[in-house]
Amino acid sequence: MTSPDHRRPGTGRRSHRDRHGRGLRGRLVPATVPLARTKSEIFDDLVLDTVETLERRFAKELAGVEFAVEDVPPDLNVYDSDVLEDGEVPLARLLPGRPGRQEVPPRIVLYRRPLEFRAMDREDLADLVHDVIIEQVANLLGVDPDELS
């Protein structure tokens, strides 16, 4: 239980200070230095780089296609042919979508953790992400992946 002198008068809530009672003193990093980026943010940037490049070249064909990132694939015993696997571990999935009254757009889902596990460094991860997206887009459009590269 905290003593009453650590509370603001009348609020019954603790004040927002660090354990020494001083509060935050200043910036965590200089204004000229970007804050550290998480693995997830770096991965998302790699996906966006490839998707933006493809969308510039194939804007009409990729209109309405959604790209998503999930940390890990869902736990299923058997995967359909819409899943790109490596040694029975899903790397990405193509959900072709459904036209009609409740239209669902095509969606390509990349699984971040399995892809990161297979990469030696960031450059290798960028190449792997690029190749997986190319493979899935080629499957969606019904073309050879070499036509998209």
Side-chain angles (χ1 to χ4, degrees), residues 20-94:
H20 299 290
R22 292 187 298 256
L24 293 177
R25 290 188 170 214
R27 301 178 64 93
L28 296 176
V29 296
T32 58
V33 177
L35 290 173
R37 298 185 47 78
T38 65
K39 286 183 175 184
S40 179
E41 291 170 330
I42 291 168
F43 189 88
D44 290 347
D45 287 344
L46 295 174
V47 171
L48 281 173
D49 289 345
T50 299
V51 169
E52 288 172 353
T53 301
L54 283 172
E55 284 180 338
R56 281 193 294 268
R57 292 180 51 210
F58 303 98
K60 182 179 175 187
E61 294 87 343
L62 295 177
V65 176
E66 294 179 354
F67 293 85
V69 174
E70 293 182 11
D71 281 342
V72 293
D75 191 23
L76 301 174
N77 291 335
V78 178
Y79 290 96
D80 296 329
S81 61
D82 63 343
V83 175
L84 179 63
E85 295 177 303
D86 177 31
E88 297 184 13
V89 175
L91 303 178
R93 182 173 194 171
L94 168 63

Side-chain angles (χ1 to χ4, degrees), residues 4-18:
D5 59 328
H6 284 98
R7 298 178 184 259
R8 288 189 215 163
T11 63
R13 292 177 29 201
R14 282 185 66 108
S15 61
H16 297 285
R17 297 188 176 271
D18 67 5

